[in-house]
Amino acid sequence: MFILNKESMKKCIILTIVSVIASLSAVAQNTIVNNPDNKPYWGLRLGGDITCPGDVSAENVDVSVFKNGGGFEIGGIYNYPLVANLYIEPGLKLYYDTYSMKDEFMGAFDDEEVSLSGLSFRKFGMRIPVNFGYHFDFTDDVNVSVFTGPELEIGFTAKAHLKGDGIDLSESIYGDDGGMNRVNLLWGIGAGVSYQHFYFGVNGGIGMLNMLSDSDAKFHENRVTFSVGYNF
């Protein structure tokens, strides 16, 4: 009859623990950070925007002129695996966003005959994000991703909407007389959760270009987007 002594028992326990850890590491390596089943896919996205215009800056003075607004975006993405669970994800989306001027600054537009009650900005255009990300596949149905990358934003139309006593006017803010630039470049960062084919995510975009044209002042447009989607 074979009986293990204490030293043999210790070695057996240590080998068992090492084997279990190695097995768990191999499983984690395969299923969480390096899924061998990665493949390209298309996806649809619908997002709700919170527009966050920054301060207007001139001569080292920053003034908070605008209020946050809202909007939406709709479009698609293409997710392409690079190595392990690292991926690149370009997209193309249409957007409609709004924000407005704070009430305390409206007096600057008043005259003896007209008193304005509101000035809002309404923009429609397209976005081209290119994100680099990494997803963690905790189960066959659930993964969590983090991503970052640049986003080119091109405005098709943008209008300043004026409201006041007896007036309701819209004027373009693009062009030589408009005062705002049509193109913006943002840097995005975000995270998402996928369950089977469904996607839920949140991301922020930090505006890097001055949106005021022909002006010594500077102004940047930022954004937060909450998204839902479907991956094919």
Side-chain angles (χ1 to χ4, degrees), residues 38-72:
N38 286 327
K39 58 183 179 180
Y41 62 83
W42 296 90
L44 296 177
R45 297 290 184 266
L46 175 63
D49 293 341
I50 300 176
T51 54
C52 307
D55 294 345
V56 177
S57 303
E59 298 182 354
N60 297 321
V61 176
D62 298 336
V63 181
S64 179
V65 178
F66 303 106
K67 296 185 287 186
N68 292 349
F72 68 90

Side-chain angles (χ1 to χ4, degrees), residues 41-205:
Y41 62 83
W42 296 90
L44 296 177
R45 297 290 184 266
L46 175 63
D49 293 341
I50 300 176
T51 54
C52 307
D55 294 345
V56 177
S57 303
E59 298 182 354
N60 297 321
V61 176
D62 298 336
V63 181
S64 179
V65 178
F66 303 106
K67 296 185 287 186
N68 292 349
F72 68 90
E73 66 174 22
I74 185 170
I77 58 90
Y78 181 68
N79 187 292
Y80 186 81
L82 295 176
V83 60
N85 285 0
L86 180 69
Y87 64 87
I88 183 173
E89 186 178 274
L92 179 62
K93 303 174 183 179
L94 297 176
Y95 72 90
Y96 178 80
D97 281 346
T98 68
Y99 57 88
S100 58
M101 179 172 284
K102 292 184 175 180
D103 295 339
E104 56 264 36
F105 294 98
M106 292 305 303
F109 297 90
D110 293 344
D111 57 31
E112 297 179 355
E113 298 181 356
V114 177
S115 178
L116 295 177
S117 59
L119 173 59
S120 61
F121 302 91
R122 307 174 183 184
K123 297 187 172 186
F124 170 69
M126 73 175 182
R127 293 172 178 149
I128 307 174
V130 181
N131 286 314
F132 293 87
Y134 207 97
H135 60 86
F136 303 89
D137 299 348
F138 294 102
T139 72
D140 291 339
D141 293 330
V142 178
N143 75 56
V144 176
S145 59
V146 291
F147 53 86
T148 187
E151 178 181 81
L152 180 64
E153 189 174 273
I154 303 173
F156 297 153
T157 63
K159 293 185 178 182
H161 192 73
L162 302 168
K163 295 185 68 176
D165 298 336
I167 65 169
D168 191 351
L169 300 174
S170 292
E171 297 182 0
S172 175
I173 56 177
Y174 289 153
D176 295 336
D177 300 326
M180 281 200 179
N181 292 317
R182 187 182 297 271
V183 177
N184 192 12
L185 181 64
L186 301 94
W187 191 268
I189 183 171
V193 177
S194 294
Y195 174 71
Q196 295 182 354
H197 292 282
F198 298 97
Y199 172 84
F200 310 89
V202 58
N203 69 280

